[in-house]
Amino acid sequence: YKILAPLIAKSKAAGLKKVVLMTAIGVEQNAEAPMRRAELDLERSGVAYNILRPSWFMQNFNTFWVHGIKANGQIRLPVADGKAAFIDSRDISAVAAKLLVEDSFNNLAFTLTGPEPLTHTQVAALISQAAGKPVSFVDIEPEELKQGLLAGGVPADYTDLLLLLLSFLKAGYMETRNNSVLEILGRPPRDFKSYARDYASNWK
């Protein structure tokens, strides 16, 4: 919020015609959450806007979680059987680009999801198929992930945020799916199988 609030104020002062702000799925449920406070600042600014609240990124599996997949064929996360309607970040970018140059959706917020909720066991199977190697999901305790992230150089505050969001996923709050990508782009979002095929070389 300390970063976003001044940027929103400067956007208005500079006379920007429109701002597209990306936050995260579900932040509208808590008025005190930093991202929700930034959303409210933008809504009250008088600048035309769109707010994007994406679900979990598919690309987390070729960035944040790639080491475990490459090193030992495992996705180790504290999420049990929780599901998420993972979205391809390329679809988020396409939505943002279109909204920046079009006014027909002005002053609306959109939750962006992929086409289907998946467990991490299902994700592991799709990655395994695409990469041509065994990949499995292992449910772990949050503390194990926390120590691994900190040891890998992830800042403590961001580590805590990731753990909080993963706890929401485990609780089933990320299963939501909708047709926002289709509504805005005129095509459905990419599915996980397509993502895994496109990024298969990252896991080999």
Side-chain angles (χ1 to χ4, degrees), residues 2-16:
K2 292 178 181 178
I3 296 172
L4 291 174
L7 285 175
I8 291 167
K10 289 180 180 179
S11 298
K12 181 176 182 178
L16 291 188

Side-chain angles (χ1 to χ4, degrees), residues 149-164:
L149 291 171
L150 292 174
V154 178
D157 57 348
Y158 193 66
T159 294
D160 289 340
L161 175 61
L162 278 175
L163 289 169
L164 177 64

Side-chain angles (χ1 to χ4, degrees), residues 56 60-61 63-69 77 145 149 162 166:
W56 280 86
N60 285 343
F61 294 98
T63 54
F64 272 108
W65 319 133
V66 69
H67 176 74
I69 297 172
L77 292 170
L145 178 61
L149 291 171
L162 278 175
L166 286 167

Side-chain angles (χ1 to χ4, degrees), residues 26-48:
V27 300
E28 72 277 14
Q29 303 300 323
N30 181 358
E32 298 305 315
M35 286 185 179
R36 179 54 179 159
R37 290 168 60 197
E39 289 184 354
L40 292 170
D41 282 0
L42 181 57
E43 291 173 7
R44 297 164 181 155
S45 70
V47 178

